[in-house]
Amino acid sequence: FLAFVHISTAYIHPYRTDIHEIIYPTNENPKLLLESLDYFDEKIFDHLSEKVLKQYPNSYTYTKSLGEYLLFQQKENLPIG
């Protein structure tokens, strides 16, 4: 039996004034965003990056938040701790 253990931090949600031990949803659909990347040219990518990163201090915190939410969406198919 295998399980995926994910360690996260509260630092990926700097825009929140309160942090609880839960996985917060994102404003974007991470799966759709990942699937769409192949169709973006550099101008569109830069424009969208600027728009979605407004709440985050850098791309690391944003992508970590997306990754954490993608894992959460798989909770029925993957044992996660």
Short mmCIF file of all heavy atoms in Angstrom, two decimals, residues 12-13 15 23-40 45 48 52 56 61-74:
data_model
loop_
_atom_site.label_atom_id
_atom_site.label_comp_id
_atom_site.label_asym_id
_atom_site.label_seq_id
_atom_site.Cartn_x
_atom_site.Cartn_y
_atom_site.Cartn_z
N ILE A 12 2.33 29.89 1.43
CA ILE A 12 1.86 29.94 0.05
C ILE A 12 0.56 30.73 -0.08
O ILE A 12 0.04 30.88 -1.17
CB ILE A 12 1.70 28.54 -0.58
CG1 ILE A 12 0.66 27.71 0.15
CG2 ILE A 12 3.02 27.84 -0.66
CD1 ILE A 12 0.32 26.41 -0.54
N HIS A 13 0.05 31.25 1.02
CA HIS A 13 -1.16 32.06 0.99
C HIS A 13 -0.92 33.38 1.72
O HIS A 13 -1.60 33.70 2.70
CB HIS A 13 -2.33 31.31 1.63
CG HIS A 13 -2.68 30.05 0.91
ND1 HIS A 13 -3.28 30.04 -0.32
CD2 HIS A 13 -2.49 28.75 1.24
CE1 HIS A 13 -3.44 28.80 -0.72
NE2 HIS A 13 -2.97 28.00 0.21
N TYR A 15 -1.72 36.33 1.08
CA TYR A 15 -2.82 37.29 0.99
C TYR A 15 -3.88 37.06 2.07
O TYR A 15 -4.74 37.90 2.29
CB TYR A 15 -3.47 37.23 -0.39
CG TYR A 15 -3.98 35.84 -0.73
CD1 TYR A 15 -5.26 35.45 -0.38
CD2 TYR A 15 -3.16 34.93 -1.37
CE1 TYR A 15 -5.72 34.19 -0.66
CE2 TYR A 15 -3.61 33.66 -1.66
CZ TYR A 15 -4.88 33.30 -1.31
OH TYR A 15 -5.33 32.04 -1.58
N ILE A 23 -6.56 22.86 3.04
CA ILE A 23 -6.08 23.20 1.70
C ILE A 23 -7.08 24.17 1.11
O ILE A 23 -8.26 23.84 0.95
CB ILE A 23 -5.93 21.94 0.84
CG1 ILE A 23 -4.84 21.06 1.45
CG2 ILE A 23 -5.59 22.32 -0.59
CD1 ILE A 23 -4.64 19.75 0.75
N TYR A 24 -6.62 25.35 0.82
CA TYR A 24 -7.49 26.39 0.27
C TYR A 24 -7.64 26.22 -1.23
O TYR A 24 -6.66 25.93 -1.93
CB TYR A 24 -6.92 27.78 0.58
CG TYR A 24 -6.95 28.11 2.04
CD1 TYR A 24 -5.83 27.95 2.85
CD2 TYR A 24 -8.12 28.56 2.64
CE1 TYR A 24 -5.86 28.24 4.20
CE2 TYR A 24 -8.16 28.85 3.99
CZ TYR A 24 -7.03 28.69 4.76
OH TYR A 24 -7.08 28.98 6.10
N PRO A 25 -8.84 26.39 -1.76
CA PRO A 25 -9.02 26.31 -3.21
C PRO A 25 -8.36 27.49 -3.91
O PRO A 25 -8.10 28.52 -3.30
CB PRO A 25 -10.55 26.35 -3.38
CG PRO A 25 -11.05 27.00 -2.15
CD PRO A 25 -10.08 26.69 -1.05
N THR A 26 -8.08 27.30 -5.17
CA THR A 26 -7.51 28.38 -5.98
C THR A 26 -8.63 29.07 -6.75
O THR A 26 -9.71 28.52 -6.91
CB THR A 26 -6.47 27.83 -6.97
OG1 THR A 26 -7.13 26.93 -7.86
CG2 THR A 26 -5.34 27.13 -6.25
N ASN A 27 -8.33 30.24 -7.25
CA ASN A 27 -9.30 30.95 -8.08
C ASN A 27 -9.32 30.40 -9.50
O ASN A 27 -10.27 30.60 -10.24
CB ASN A 27 -8.98 32.44 -8.13
CG ASN A 27 -9.23 33.11 -6.79
OD1 ASN A 27 -10.07 32.67 -6.02
ND2 ASN A 27 -8.48 34.15 -6.51
N GLU A 28 -8.25 29.72 -9.87
CA GLU A 28 -8.14 29.15 -11.21
C GLU A 28 -8.36 27.64 -11.15
O GLU A 28 -8.22 27.02 -10.11
CB GLU A 28 -6.75 29.42 -11.81
CG GLU A 28 -6.45 30.87 -12.08
CD GLU A 28 -6.04 31.62 -10.82
OE1 GLU A 28 -5.57 30.98 -9.86
OE2 GLU A 28 -6.20 32.84 -10.79
N ASN A 29 -8.67 27.07 -12.29
CA ASN A 29 -8.77 25.62 -12.42
C ASN A 29 -7.38 25.13 -12.82
O ASN A 29 -6.97 25.31 -13.96
CB ASN A 29 -9.80 25.26 -13.48
CG ASN A 29 -9.93 23.78 -13.69
OD1 ASN A 29 -9.03 23.01 -13.41
ND2 ASN A 29 -11.06 23.39 -14.23
N PRO A 30 -6.63 24.51 -11.89
CA PRO A 30 -5.25 24.11 -12.20
C PRO A 30 -5.13 23.17 -13.40
O PRO A 30 -4.23 23.32 -14.22
CB PRO A 30 -4.78 23.41 -10.93
CG PRO A 30 -5.67 23.92 -9.86
CD PRO A 30 -6.98 24.21 -10.52
N LYS A 31 -6.04 22.22 -13.53
CA LYS A 31 -5.97 21.28 -14.66
C LYS A 31 -6.15 22.02 -15.99
O LYS A 31 -5.41 21.80 -16.95
CB LYS A 31 -7.04 20.19 -14.54
CG LYS A 31 -6.67 19.11 -13.59
CD LYS A 31 -7.72 18.01 -13.63
CE LYS A 31 -7.28 16.84 -12.79
NZ LYS A 31 -8.21 15.73 -12.91
N LEU A 32 -7.13 22.90 -16.05
CA LEU A 32 -7.37 23.67 -17.27
C LEU A 32 -6.19 24.57 -17.59
O LEU A 32 -5.78 24.69 -18.74
CB LEU A 32 -8.65 24.49 -17.13
CG LEU A 32 -9.07 25.32 -18.33
CD1 LEU A 32 -9.34 24.43 -19.53
CD2 LEU A 32 -10.30 26.13 -17.99
N LEU A 33 -5.64 25.19 -16.57
CA LEU A 33 -4.48 26.06 -16.76
C LEU A 33 -3.30 25.27 -17.32
O LEU A 33 -2.66 25.70 -18.29
CB LEU A 33 -4.10 26.71 -15.43
CG LEU A 33 -2.99 27.72 -15.45
CD1 LEU A 33 -3.32 28.89 -16.36
CD2 LEU A 33 -2.71 28.22 -14.05
N LEU A 34 -3.01 24.09 -16.77
CA LEU A 34 -1.91 23.27 -17.27
C LEU A 34 -2.15 22.82 -18.71
O LEU A 34 -1.23 22.82 -19.53
CB LEU A 34 -1.70 22.05 -16.37
CG LEU A 34 -1.08 22.33 -15.01
CD1 LEU A 34 -1.12 21.09 -14.14
CD2 LEU A 34 0.34 22.82 -15.16
N GLU A 35 -3.37 22.43 -19.01
CA GLU A 35 -3.68 21.99 -20.37
C GLU A 35 -3.59 23.13 -21.37
O GLU A 35 -3.29 22.92 -22.54
CB GLU A 35 -5.09 21.37 -20.40
CG GLU A 35 -5.17 20.06 -19.66
CD GLU A 35 -6.60 19.58 -19.47
OE1 GLU A 35 -7.56 20.27 -19.91
OE2 GLU A 35 -6.78 18.51 -18.86
N SER A 36 -3.84 24.35 -20.93
CA SER A 36 -3.85 25.50 -21.82
C SER A 36 -2.45 26.03 -22.13
O SER A 36 -2.27 26.75 -23.11
CB SER A 36 -4.65 26.64 -21.20
OG SER A 36 -5.96 26.23 -20.95
N LEU A 37 -1.47 25.69 -21.32
CA LEU A 37 -0.13 26.26 -21.49
C LEU A 37 0.46 26.01 -22.87
O LEU A 37 1.21 26.84 -23.39
CB LEU A 37 0.82 25.72 -20.41
CG LEU A 37 0.57 26.24 -19.01
CD1 LEU A 37 1.51 25.56 -18.03
CD2 LEU A 37 0.72 27.75 -18.94
N ASP A 38 0.14 24.88 -23.48
CA ASP A 38 0.67 24.57 -24.80
C ASP A 38 0.18 25.53 -25.88
O ASP A 38 0.79 25.67 -26.93
CB ASP A 38 0.29 23.14 -25.21
CG ASP A 38 1.02 22.10 -24.40
OD1 ASP A 38 2.11 22.41 -23.87
OD2 ASP A 38 0.50 20.98 -24.27
N TYR A 39 -0.92 26.22 -25.62
CA TYR A 39 -1.52 27.09 -26.63
C TYR A 39 -1.17 28.56 -26.44
O TYR A 39 -1.55 29.40 -27.24
CB TYR A 39 -3.04 26.92 -26.62
CG TYR A 39 -3.44 25.49 -26.86
CD1 TYR A 39 -3.85 24.68 -25.80
CD2 TYR A 39 -3.38 24.93 -28.14
CE1 TYR A 39 -4.19 23.35 -26.02
CE2 TYR A 39 -3.71 23.61 -28.36
CZ TYR A 39 -4.12 22.83 -27.30
OH TYR A 39 -4.45 21.52 -27.51
N PHE A 40 -0.47 28.89 -25.37
CA PHE A 40 -0.13 30.29 -25.08
C PHE A 40 1.17 30.67 -25.77
O PHE A 40 2.15 29.94 -25.69
CB PHE A 40 0.06 30.53 -23.59
CG PHE A 40 -1.17 30.34 -22.75
CD1 PHE A 40 -1.06 30.18 -21.39
CD2 PHE A 40 -2.44 30.33 -23.30
CE1 PHE A 40 -2.18 30.00 -20.59
CE2 PHE A 40 -3.57 30.16 -22.53
CZ PHE A 40 -3.43 30.00 -21.17
N PHE A 45 1.21 34.46 -22.24
CA PHE A 45 1.69 33.89 -20.99
C PHE A 45 2.12 34.99 -20.02
O PHE A 45 1.77 34.95 -18.84
CB PHE A 45 2.86 32.93 -21.27
CG PHE A 45 3.36 32.25 -20.04
CD1 PHE A 45 2.71 31.14 -19.53
CD2 PHE A 45 4.49 32.72 -19.38
CE1 PHE A 45 3.16 30.51 -18.39
CE2 PHE A 45 4.95 32.10 -18.25
CZ PHE A 45 4.29 30.99 -17.75
N LEU A 48 -1.02 36.83 -18.67
CA LEU A 48 -1.74 36.02 -17.69
C LEU A 48 -0.94 35.85 -16.40
O LEU A 48 -1.51 35.88 -15.31
CB LEU A 48 -2.09 34.66 -18.27
CG LEU A 48 -3.14 34.67 -19.38
CD1 LEU A 48 -3.30 33.29 -19.99
CD2 LEU A 48 -4.47 35.17 -18.85
N VAL A 52 -2.45 36.72 -12.68
CA VAL A 52 -2.69 35.75 -11.62
C VAL A 52 -1.73 35.91 -10.45
O VAL A 52 -2.03 35.47 -9.34
CB VAL A 52 -2.65 34.29 -12.13
CG1 VAL A 52 -3.74 34.04 -13.14
CG2 VAL A 52 -1.30 33.90 -12.65
N TYR A 56 0.21 37.06 -5.05
CA TYR A 56 1.36 36.29 -4.59
C TYR A 56 2.65 37.09 -4.76
O TYR A 56 2.81 37.83 -5.72
CB TYR A 56 1.46 34.98 -5.38
CG TYR A 56 0.27 34.09 -5.17
CD1 TYR A 56 -0.87 34.22 -5.96
CD2 TYR A 56 0.27 33.13 -4.19
CE1 TYR A 56 -1.98 33.40 -5.76
CE2 TYR A 56 -0.82 32.30 -3.98
CZ TYR A 56 -1.94 32.45 -4.78
OH TYR A 56 -3.02 31.64 -4.58
N THR A 61 5.28 30.68 -4.83
CA THR A 61 4.14 30.53 -3.93
C THR A 61 2.86 30.23 -4.70
O THR A 61 2.02 29.46 -4.25
CB THR A 61 3.95 31.78 -3.04
OG1 THR A 61 3.84 32.92 -3.87
CG2 THR A 61 5.10 31.95 -2.07
N TYR A 62 2.74 30.83 -5.89
CA TYR A 62 1.55 30.59 -6.71
C TYR A 62 1.51 29.15 -7.21
O TYR A 62 0.50 28.46 -7.07
CB TYR A 62 1.52 31.56 -7.89
CG TYR A 62 0.39 31.29 -8.83
CD1 TYR A 62 -0.92 31.54 -8.46
CD2 TYR A 62 0.62 30.78 -10.10
CE1 TYR A 62 -1.98 31.28 -9.32
CE2 TYR A 62 -0.43 30.53 -10.97
CZ TYR A 62 -1.72 30.78 -10.57
OH TYR A 62 -2.76 30.52 -11.42
N THR A 63 2.62 28.67 -7.77
CA THR A 63 2.62 27.31 -8.32
C THR A 63 2.54 26.26 -7.21
O THR A 63 1.97 25.21 -7.40
CB THR A 63 3.85 27.07 -9.21
OG1 THR A 63 5.04 27.32 -8.47
CG2 THR A 63 3.80 27.94 -10.45
N LYS A 64 3.09 26.56 -6.04
CA LYS A 64 2.96 25.63 -4.91
C LYS A 64 1.50 25.54 -4.48
O LYS A 64 1.00 24.46 -4.18
CB LYS A 64 3.84 26.07 -3.75
CG LYS A 64 3.87 25.08 -2.61
CD LYS A 64 5.07 25.30 -1.72
CE LYS A 64 5.08 24.45 -0.50
NZ LYS A 64 4.93 23.03 -0.70
N SER A 65 0.82 26.66 -4.49
CA SER A 65 -0.60 26.66 -4.16
C SER A 65 -1.39 25.84 -5.18
O SER A 65 -2.26 25.05 -4.81
CB SER A 65 -1.11 28.11 -4.13
OG SER A 65 -2.50 28.15 -3.95
N LEU A 66 -1.09 26.01 -6.47
CA LEU A 66 -1.77 25.23 -7.51
C LEU A 66 -1.49 23.74 -7.34
O LEU A 66 -2.40 22.91 -7.43
CB LEU A 66 -1.31 25.67 -8.90
CG LEU A 66 -1.83 26.97 -9.44
CD1 LEU A 66 -1.23 27.24 -10.82
CD2 LEU A 66 -3.34 26.98 -9.53
N GLY A 67 -0.24 23.40 -7.09
CA GLY A 67 0.14 21.99 -6.92
C GLY A 67 -0.56 21.35 -5.74
O GLY A 67 -1.03 20.21 -5.81
N GLU A 68 -0.63 22.09 -4.64
CA GLU A 68 -1.31 21.58 -3.45
C GLU A 68 -2.79 21.33 -3.73
O GLU A 68 -3.35 20.32 -3.32
CB GLU A 68 -1.14 22.59 -2.32
CG GLU A 68 -1.59 22.08 -0.99
CD GLU A 68 -1.26 23.06 0.12
OE1 GLU A 68 -0.13 23.01 0.62
OE2 GLU A 68 -2.15 23.85 0.48
N TYR A 69 -3.40 22.23 -4.46
CA TYR A 69 -4.82 22.05 -4.76
C TYR A 69 -5.04 20.89 -5.75
O TYR A 69 -6.02 20.16 -5.64
CB TYR A 69 -5.43 23.35 -5.29
CG TYR A 69 -6.94 23.29 -5.32
CD1 TYR A 69 -7.66 23.17 -4.13
CD2 TYR A 69 -7.63 23.30 -6.51
CE1 TYR A 69 -9.04 23.08 -4.14
CE2 TYR A 69 -9.02 23.21 -6.53
CZ TYR A 69 -9.71 23.10 -5.34
OH TYR A 69 -11.08 23.00 -5.35
N LEU A 70 -4.10 20.70 -6.69
CA LEU A 70 -4.20 19.55 -7.60
C LEU A 70 -4.15 18.24 -6.81
O LEU A 70 -4.90 17.31 -7.09
CB LEU A 70 -3.06 19.57 -8.62
CG LEU A 70 -3.26 20.45 -9.83
CD1 LEU A 70 -1.97 20.56 -10.63
CD2 LEU A 70 -4.37 19.91 -10.72
N LEU A 71 -3.27 18.18 -5.83
CA LEU A 71 -3.21 16.98 -4.97
C LEU A 71 -4.53 16.78 -4.23
O LEU A 71 -5.04 15.67 -4.14
CB LEU A 71 -2.07 17.11 -3.96
CG LEU A 71 -0.68 16.93 -4.51
CD1 LEU A 71 0.36 17.23 -3.44
CD2 LEU A 71 -0.49 15.52 -5.04
N PHE A 72 -5.06 17.85 -3.70
CA PHE A 72 -6.33 17.78 -2.97
C PHE A 72 -7.44 17.24 -3.86
O PHE A 72 -8.27 16.44 -3.42
CB PHE A 72 -6.69 19.18 -2.44
CG PHE A 72 -8.01 19.23 -1.75
CD1 PHE A 72 -8.17 18.66 -0.50
CD2 PHE A 72 -9.10 19.82 -2.34
CE1 PHE A 72 -9.39 18.70 0.16
CE2 PHE A 72 -10.32 19.88 -1.70
CZ PHE A 72 -10.47 19.31 -0.44
N GLN A 73 -7.45 17.64 -5.13
CA GLN A 73 -8.47 17.17 -6.05
C GLN A 73 -8.36 15.66 -6.30
O GLN A 73 -9.33 15.04 -6.71
CB GLN A 73 -8.39 17.92 -7.37
CG GLN A 73 -8.84 19.36 -7.26
CD GLN A 73 -8.70 20.12 -8.57
OE1 GLN A 73 -7.74 19.92 -9.31
NE2 GLN A 73 -9.66 20.98 -8.84
N GLN A 74 -7.20 15.08 -6.06
CA GLN A 74 -6.98 13.64 -6.28
C GLN A 74 -7.19 12.81 -5.02
O GLN A 74 -6.89 11.62 -5.01
CB GLN A 74 -5.56 13.41 -6.82
CG GLN A 74 -5.35 13.98 -8.19
CD GLN A 74 -6.27 13.36 -9.21
OE1 GLN A 74 -6.43 12.14 -9.27
NE2 GLN A 74 -6.94 14.20 -9.99
#
